[in-house]
Amino acid sequence: MSSQPPTGPPSGPVPRPSGPAPGPPPPKGSGAPRGGRPRKRTLIAAGAAAVVLALIVVLVVSLGGDGGDDGGGNAVSPAPTDTKAAEAAAHAVATRVALAPPDWGSGFAQHKPYEVDPAPESLVRENCEFASRPSRIGTLASLQRNVTETASGIAGTSEVKVFADEATAKQYLADARDNIHRCPDQFRGKERWNGVREASPPRLPGFDELVSEEGRQVVSANGAKVNDLYVIATGRDGRNILSAYVVGKADLDAQIQRYATDSLQKMHQRLEQQPEAAAGP
C-alpha cells in the first residue's frame, strides 16, 4: 500500500537517536598529562581524530545516509539552507490544501486521529508487511487529515507532502509505486489486504504524474472479517505530492471512486492558488 489507511494510521515517525552512544568513562587518574611533550602529543592526537571525524561527516552527507529504514528514498537532495523558513512556508501550503470534513461533502466528520502531522511514509517490507518510516531527507511538510461519512461508513484521508525539490518528489512517487507492486497481499498486525494493484489513474489536468492504487481489506484491525474496497489517488505537481485515500464497503465502489477523484481534484485546485507551492527552494 502506498498510503496510510484512515482507519488508524501510526501516530508518527519512529524517534531517532540524537547521536552516538557515550563511550566508557575515562580511567581514574587520567587527568591532564604532565610536562610539555606528552600534552603536545595528546593535542596532536585529538586534532587528528577531529579531522577523521570531519571526513566521516562529509562522506555521510555526500552519500545521503540518514539512517532511514529499507533504503529506497532516503538518499536524496538535502533541504534548502534556510530550512526553518522553507518548512514554515511548506506547512502553510499543506494546511490550506489538505481537506476538512465539509470539503468532502455533507455528512462527513472528523475521524480520530483527525490530523497526523508530520505524517510518516508508508513502507511495504520484503515479507509484505505494511509499515511506516520517518519522512525522508528533503521533506518540508507532510500533513494528513482523516474523515468519515457517518451514514455510509466511508472513510477518507487527504494527504499533502511538500518536498525541497522536484527530484525528491519524483523519487517519493517512484517508491510509492514500488510499494504497490511489491506484494498483492499485505498485512499489518491482524489487518489483511488482498488484490493490491496499480489501477488506471483519474483523468485530471495539471499534474505532472498521476498514480492510482486499488485493493480490498479483508480483515480489520480487531481481527474481524470485512469486505472493503479502498482507492488511493495520488498526483505530483512539481515538488508537491497530493493523495486521497478512500475506503468503504465493496458495494459502494462508485462512490469510493468518485470521492477519491473529486478530493484529489479539489486539493489540486487549492494548491494552484498557493504562491508558496510554486516557489522553488
Side-chain angles (χ1 to χ4, degrees), residues 24-32:
K28 286 186 178 181
S30 60

Side-chain angles (χ1 to χ4, degrees), residues 55-122:
L55 288 173
I56 291 173
V57 170
V58 170
L59 284 172
V60 170
V61 172
S62 65
L63 291 174
D66 72 334
D69 190 12
D70 282 46
N74 289 320
V76 296
S77 303
T81 304
D82 193 356
T83 305
K84 293 296 183 183
E87 287 178 348
H91 193 268
V93 170
T95 301
R96 292 193 292 263
V97 171
L99 303 184
D103 301 320
W104 289 81
S106 60
F108 278 91
Q110 294 183 7
H111 181 80
K112 189 176 180 179
Y114 174 54
E115 281 195 349
V116 182
D117 181 14
E121 291 189 15
S122 297

Side-chain angles (χ1 to χ4, degrees), residues 190-209:
K190 295 180 180 180
E191 292 177 283
R192 296 291 184 273
W193 294 272
N194 291 346
V196 177
R197 65 185 184 90
E198 184 171 358
S200 298
R203 296 182 178 181
L204 295 175
F207 284 101
D208 297 310
E209 295 181 82

